[in-house]
Structures are given as C-alpha cells and as structure tokens.
Amino acid sequence: VGLHALVGISMMVLAASVPLSEAAGVANAFKRVRGWDQSTAELSAAFERSGADALVFDNRNDFHQMQRYGSVDGEALYMWLRHEGALNHAEQGWPLPDGYGAPVLIASERPEEIPVIERDFARFEAFGEITVELGGDRRRHYDLFLAQDYRRVARSPEYEAQIERERASSFD
C-alpha cells in the first residue's frame, strides 16, 4: 500500500509541475490533462460570440472535456463523423445529425481534416483560432469555423481514395 501511495503521489506531483515533468522526460504524457479549464472557457466564449446553435468537434477527447468542464449546454455539443460509421463513444452518442441546417461552430484540432469537414457543409468560413499554452513547448490549438447546412458526403472507397490523392498532392 505504501509503495502504491508513493507512486500515486509522485504522479500527481509530476502532473502538477511542468518543470518536473519536463526534467523527468514525461511531459508529453501529462499534456492531455493540462489546460482544460482555459481551453473550455475560450471555446465557450467563442461559441457565444459566434451565435451558432451548436459546437462541433472533430476530436473525441476535446468533445468529452467540453462536456466535463465547458459551460456550453450539452444539447448543443456534437461530433463530426469522419468515417462511414461511428468509431468511438462520442461519435456514437452525439453525432451531428445529417441535414442539420442551423449554423454550427466547428472546433478542429486536426488541420488535415479541415478540407474533408468543409465538403460536408454548404457554408464554411474561418472564425479564428484558439491556442492554449500547456507548459514547456506544448500547446493545444483549435482552428474555428462557422458552418451551416450539414449534408454529409457518403464515405465510399472512391471518396476516401480521392481524399488520399488530394493529401498526397498537397505534399508535392
């Protein structure tokens, strides 16, 4: 019991101290637990400024942290579906309904998916960005977009092949 208590206390100290976790070489492991109060406060403020009816995420961890720490009503939180079907609990339980016509604010932490997200909306325009410093050289970054009229493009093998061709050509 004493050993487990010592290990637990050590982990809490490392999580709380950026310099200590950096020195121990484990800062990357703790970046996912830092900065959620600030991240969700800034996302909530952007959502209020946007006038959108819903806040949509492309990352399940961000979605769940917003559920836990954010001030946006849970009825206004959705997940964008990247693949043909749901791949995780967030996508299964809170998918943005196809045909959702009202304006949404999209918070994307995955820049490579932005062109794919854009295809699913009739209206899609930049709304700014949010960057939260997590300590050391780590940060959490969101690109924000106002979008409307969600019409999900079918995720066929041909569609996926086209996405891969476009990504490959963007590296040329």
Side-chain angles (χ1 to χ4, degrees):
V1 173
L3 174 64
H4 286 237
L6 182 61
V7 169
I9 291 169
S10 299
M11 295 305 273
M12 289 183 345
V13 168
L14 285 172
S17 172
V18 174
L20 273 178
S21 62
E22 290 279 340
V26 295
N28 194 47
F30 292 109
K31 74 177 181 183
R32 290 167 188 84
V33 298
R34 290 190 179 119
W36 286 113
D37 289 344
Q38 182 182 355
S39 297
T40 57
E42 290 192 34
L43 285 166
S44 296
F47 177 68
E48 292 301 318
R49 282 192 316 274
S50 76
D53 288 9
L55 179 56
V56 179
F57 291 90
D58 64 355
N59 180 307
R60 70 180 178 201
N61 187 41
D62 298 326
F63 171 82
H64 285 306
Q65 299 305 334
M66 193 66 180
Q67 285 181 314
R68 287 182 188 95
Y69 301 110
S71 62
V72 175
D73 177 20
E75 297 293 315
L77 297 175
Y78 291 102
M79 280 294 298
W80 169 75
L81 296 179
R82 167 60 185 91
H83 300 282
E84 184 57 34
L87 299 181
N88 56 62
H89 181 65
E91 291 176 352
Q92 184 178 33
W94 298 273
L96 181 61
D98 196 24
Y100 194 95
V104 300
L105 180 65
I106 297 170
S108 176
E109 199 177 18
R110 298 181 169 155
E112 72 279 4
E113 297 295 357
I114 292 169
V116 183
I117 298 170
E118 184 174 5
R119 292 173 187 219
D120 287 342
F121 291 90
R123 174 181 160 225
F124 192 85
E125 58 191 55
F127 190 73
E129 56 187 45
I130 294 171
T131 301
V132 176
E133 298 297 327
L134 301 177
D137 63 348
R138 289 162 179 78
R139 57 194 51 83
R140 184 174 295 122
H141 180 83
Y142 299 100
D143 291 305
L144 303 177
F145 300 91
L146 272 176
Q148 192 167 358
D149 295 324
Y150 179 61
R151 302 285 185 261
R152 193 166 180 271
V153 177
R155 305 313 201 239
S156 67
E158 295 80 18
Y159 176 82
E160 295 298 339
Q162 177 64 31
I163 297 296
E164 288 307 313
R165 282 192 299 274
E166 290 173 11
R167 284 184 179 159
S169 70
S170 71
F171 291 114
D172 294 339

